[in-house]
Amino acid sequence: VTGDRHTCVLCGGRDSEFVVTGYDRMQAREQDYRCVRCTGCGLLSLDPTPTPAEVAGLYPPDYQTRIAGPPRNFEKPINRLAVRYLYGVGSVGRSRWLRALFRGLSGRILAGIRERHGANRLLDVGCGSGQLLAAYRTLGWQVCGIEMSAEGCAVCAEKRLEVHHGTIFDAPFAAQRFDVILLSHVIEHMLDPVAVLTRAAAFLAPRGMIVVTTPNVRGVGFLVFGSCWFGLDPPRHVFLFDPHTIVLLAQRAGLTPMRVVTAASPRILCESRHYARTQGRQLPTALAHRQALLRESARRWKPYKIYRDVMSPLTLVLALCGRGDILEAELRAV
Ligand SMILES: [Zn+2]
């Protein structure tokens, strides 16, 4: 129990218990990171949480490409059909059966793409290099983004995407402008997730929807891999949620959770296993040893495709049981 050094952003509780020691496994650092769980609500967080000044220096130059994973292929015939019948703004597929069929068939590649909603105006908070925005634009949506990295914004500008370079707090978009707002792998990085979600809610049109995607600390990956779990990623991930705490977060921001599910992620399991095999649960103490270990680890080949194909059925079952490594919450304003 750490006492009053640490006040929970969700429940205001002051007591927490130690969970695991985490390490920056992308960029060797001298520090180790204490991950603690609030005894009041169960929120997992770093203790101490980084200061705003510290956060800026936490991202390696190739961070975007490391977390983005393999690109999706929208050009496959099955995906073109799925787009036409299900996802496209002008799509004509009305049959519920057809929609269910295509959602199932296209799930692996188009996972993360939402069905059309309202007037199809989308805001992607933390849009990176605009891969997802460009995909939605292809489907006929009006798209905008917010991105903090200058590199990401430059790529978005090349794609002629409307992206605000800055934070959600200084973004100039009009209130109630968007039908769907995505916060995909964003909220776990924020020092004040309640304030970020409250601000996002102000941009939401009536009947609009906020979709929060974030690692699920209650998933099987953290259970199995502990400090090697890819979703842990300290010190960049400040808060880690589960199906209970994501609901609390939504309520604190004045939003209503409509649907909270977990999704399978063979990729997270693959990356976690890679950390476990090439780095081990505990990193060596000396910085030079850490640097050598991480360099060697980055060089080693990851059997991602094999892993995905072998693990897919298993992770699908886990996801249905609420033990998937990704948490997805659909939130409404009412
Ligand atoms: Zn709490």
Side-chain angles (χ1 to χ4, degrees):
V1 175
T2 37
D4 56 356
R5 222 148 60 85
H6 191 97
T7 304
C8 177
V9 294
L10 282 192
C11 73
R14 287 171 167 264
D15 289 332
S16 56
E17 57 193 9
F18 172 79
V19 175
V20 73
T21 298
Y23 306 93
D24 190 338
R25 294 176 182 275
M26 292 188 181
Q27 214 167 24
R29 286 174 211 278
E30 239 149 10
Q31 309 102 283
D32 305 340
Y33 299 94
R34 274 170 55 85
C35 301
V36 300
R37 180 178 282 120
C38 171
T39 49
C41 70
L43 179 70
L44 211 84
S45 66
L46 294 183
D47 181 29
T49 50
T51 63
E54 281 167 341
V55 166
L58 297 180
Y59 295 86
D62 62 345
Y63 180 72
Q64 286 294 344
T65 42
R66 285 210 213 182
I67 56 156
R72 298 183 177 119
N73 183 359
F74 291 92
E75 290 304 307
K76 282 186 180 175
I78 184 70
N79 296 335
R80 281 217 295 267
L81 273 173
V83 163
R84 208 170 119 198
Y85 281 102
L86 177 56
Y87 297 95
V89 164
S91 67
V92 289
R94 296 286 160 92
S95 153
R96 277 179 59 186
W97 286 101
L98 257 183
R99 293 161 80 86
L101 176 71
F102 277 109
R103 187 167 270 294
L105 285 174
S106 65
R108 230 164 72 162
I109 300 95
L110 288 169
I113 297 280
R114 318 287 316 175
E115 288 192 48
R116 55 190 192 259
H117 188 81
N120 306 302
R121 294 164 302 176
L122 178 92
L123 174 65
D124 188 5
V125 181
C127 62
S129 49
Q131 221 184 338
L132 205 55
L133 284 181
Y136 274 102
R137 184 172 60 184
T138 309
L139 301 182
W141 292 62
Q142 291 174 40
V143 298
C144 292
I146 298 173
E147 175 56 39
M148 285 178 74
S149 95
E151 292 87 348
C153 286
V155 180
C156 288
E158 277 170 35
K159 295 175 182 166
R160 294 172 196 280
L161 291 164
E162 185 187 342
V163 171
H164 168 70
H165 182 198
T167 73
I168 193 167
F169 300 105
D170 51 43
F173 303 119
Q176 304 196 342
R177 178 170 165 185
F178 299 102
D179 302 288
V180 175
I181 299 176
L182 305 176
L183 289 108
S184 183
H185 298 282
V186 162
I187 208 80
E188 65 272 21
H189 296 261
M190 298 292 125
L191 296 178
D192 192 346
V194 175
V196 169
L197 210 51
T198 306
R199 173 72 172 153
F203 290 132
L204 203 59
R207 308 176 73 110
M209 173 168 58
I210 295 181
V211 185
V212 175
T213 312
T214 188
N216 176 21
V217 78
R218 200 66 68 80
V220 73
F222 186 50
L223 199 71
V224 171
F225 293 104
S227 99
C228 289
W229 183 48
F230 191 66
L232 200 59
D233 201 24
R236 287 165 293 274
H237 290 184
V238 181
F239 296 105
L240 288 160
F241 298 88
D242 64 26
H244 171 68
T245 48
I246 200 79
V247 166
L248 277 181
L249 173 68
Q251 290 167 342
R252 286 291 314 275
L255 293 158
T256 305
M258 306 301 284
R259 184 170 161 269
V260 176
V261 295
T262 78
S265 177
R267 172 144 191 274
I268 286 190
L269 293 179
C270 175
E271 298 282 357
S272 306
R273 179 169 165 273
H274 185 76
Y275 281 161
R277 289 186 65 191
T278 60
Q279 300 181 6
R281 295 213 170 208
Q282 205 177 337
L283 292 196
T285 315
L287 181 61
H289 292 166
R290 286 189 180 184
Q291 283 166 336
L293 190 69
L294 264 54
R295 252 200 315 275
E296 173 63 17
S297 166
R299 237 175 33 80
R300 296 268 290 274
W301 176 71
K302 273 171 272 188
Y304 171 71
K305 219 169 137 40
I306 300 167
Y307 215 73
R308 187 191 64 189
D309 293 343
V310 172
M311 297 296 285
S312 274
L314 176 63
T315 53
L316 215 64
V317 173
L318 289 169
L320 291 173
C321 304
R323 296 286 172 169
D325 283 300
I326 303 280
L327 201 55
E328 195 184 279
E330 286 180 11
L331 317 172
R332 301 284 173 102
V334 273

